[in-house]
Amino acid sequence: MYLTPLRVLMLVLAGIFVGVLTSLMGASGVMFVVPILTMFFGLSVHSAIGTSLAVDVISSLAVSISYYNHGKVDLKPSILMALSAVAGAQLGGKVAHLTPELQLQWLFALSMIVGGVFMFKGGYMQVLSKHEGLTKILELVRKYVQGRKSVSILVGLIIGTICGLLGAGGGVMFLIVLIFLYGYPTHTAVGTSTFIMTMTAASGAVSYVIHGSISAVSMALLGAGAIAAGTLMPKIVVKLDTKTVNRIIGTLLILFGVMMLLNGLVSGLFV
């Protein structure tokens, strides 16, 4: 791949954006990085995905370390979820051809939009506070879930399987589960979901490394930007009030959910 100063700058800036995105909502940079590498740098789709997953590992590791230093990573359930998610991802990859991926993509996109609306309005407990019956049910579910290892394993398996089907790192899915099902504070949910994504993205990247489907130069430049942003941004995010972070995350969830719906609609037209 021929590099010019402009291309180097593009890759570093793209890496910075990935680091910011991961810091804010534990999100994978796949949807952003893959189009750039394929359209502007001529990489194959396989190499672009492999490189993006490798950058996800770098970015999420830098971000999760920073959040951990601020006491915003809950290791106990996250390790169980991550390990079971890795197993689920392998299963999901094997049965991907048997699953209606398009419908699964739409379902995930809708869940992102709904979750984004709740987050933007201050969190689901605040939105549902007017409905006392629903609030009590959700509180009971949370009390049952918290501290149960079997639930953490099951959640990891389900999300990991979906990740294997969609080729995603799963950061956003874990973020939604940790906030809405486990009742984690927003900052802790972001830090913990990012830590989980470090392992799930690594498990996905391994097969691409084995097959040589990673651009080392692109990964290094993207990773440099991601590390810079991933180290700095959590220090800023943890100082923001929860309402502001909720609105930022809510907006991004809605935006990416709509993008996934549109992508699914366009894909459906050409199937």
Side-chain angles (χ1 to χ4, degrees):
M1 180 177 60
Y2 178 69
L3 286 177
T4 63
L6 179 60
R7 284 188 163 193
V8 170
L9 180 62
M10 283 179 63
L11 287 172
V12 174
L13 289 176
I16 290 174
F17 180 80
V18 170
V20 170
L21 196 63
T22 304
S23 300
L24 284 172
M25 56 187 295
S28 168
V30 169
M31 288 189 293
F32 176 71
V33 173
V34 170
I36 289 179
L37 293 178
T38 53
M39 290 189 295
F40 297 103
F41 293 88
L43 267 65
S44 68
V45 174
H46 283 92
S47 292
I49 293 175
T51 303
S52 181
L53 283 171
V55 174
D56 276 347
V57 176
I58 296 170
S59 176
S60 56
L61 182 60
V63 171
S64 60
I65 289 174
S66 187
Y67 272 109
Y68 179 78
N69 290 335
H70 286 86
K72 302 298 182 182
V73 176
D74 190 353
L75 290 176
K76 289 183 179 179
S78 62
I79 291 176
L80 284 175
M81 286 186 190
L83 293 176
S84 57
V86 169
Q90 307 308 312
L91 174 64
K94 291 181 178 179
V95 301
H97 64 285
L98 302 175
T99 306
E101 182 178 331
L102 192 58
Q103 287 84 341
L104 191 63
Q105 179 177 330
W106 287 345
L107 180 62
F108 178 49
L110 287 172
S111 69
M112 288 180 67
I113 294 171
V114 172
V117 171
F118 275 98
M119 289 295 294
F120 190 84
K121 291 186 176 182
Y124 76 103
M125 289 304 293
Q126 182 172 329
V127 175
L128 297 177
S129 60
K130 299 177 182 178
H131 306 279
E132 188 175 348
L134 286 175
T135 302
K136 288 182 178 179
I137 292 173
L138 288 170
E139 285 287 3
L140 288 172
V141 171
R142 281 174 52 183
K143 287 180 181 179
Y144 177 81
V145 165
Q146 292 171 352
R148 292 183 180 270
K149 295 180 180 180
S150 58
V151 175
S152 297
I153 293 172
L154 180 61
V155 167
L157 278 172
I158 293 172
I159 295 179
T161 302
I162 295 173
C163 291
L165 292 169
L166 297 179
V172 173
M173 284 181 275
F174 280 111
L175 175 70
I176 293 172
V177 166
L178 291 174
I179 290 175
F180 292 102
L181 186 60
Y182 282 78
Y184 275 30
T186 303
H187 293 99
T188 304
V190 174
T192 304
S193 65
T194 304
F195 172 73
I196 296 172
M197 191 176 75
T198 302
M199 287 187 266
T200 57
S203 70
V206 167
S207 62
Y208 287 92
V209 172
I210 293 173
H211 291 89
S213 297
I214 287 182
S215 169
V217 175
S218 300
M219 180 187 69
L221 293 172
L222 286 162
I227 290 174
T231 303
L232 177 63
M233 277 300 296
K235 298 178 182 179
I236 298 173
V237 175
V238 295
K239 293 179 181 179
L240 297 176
D241 61 274
T242 300
K243 183 178 180 180
T244 301
V245 177
N246 282 344
R247 288 189 170 181
I248 293 173
I249 293 175
T251 301
L252 290 172
L253 283 173
I254 294 169
L255 177 62
F256 281 106
V258 170
M259 288 173 61
M260 284 189 73
L261 278 179
L262 293 175
N263 180 65
L265 180 61
V266 172
S267 300
L269 292 175
F270 291 96
V271 171

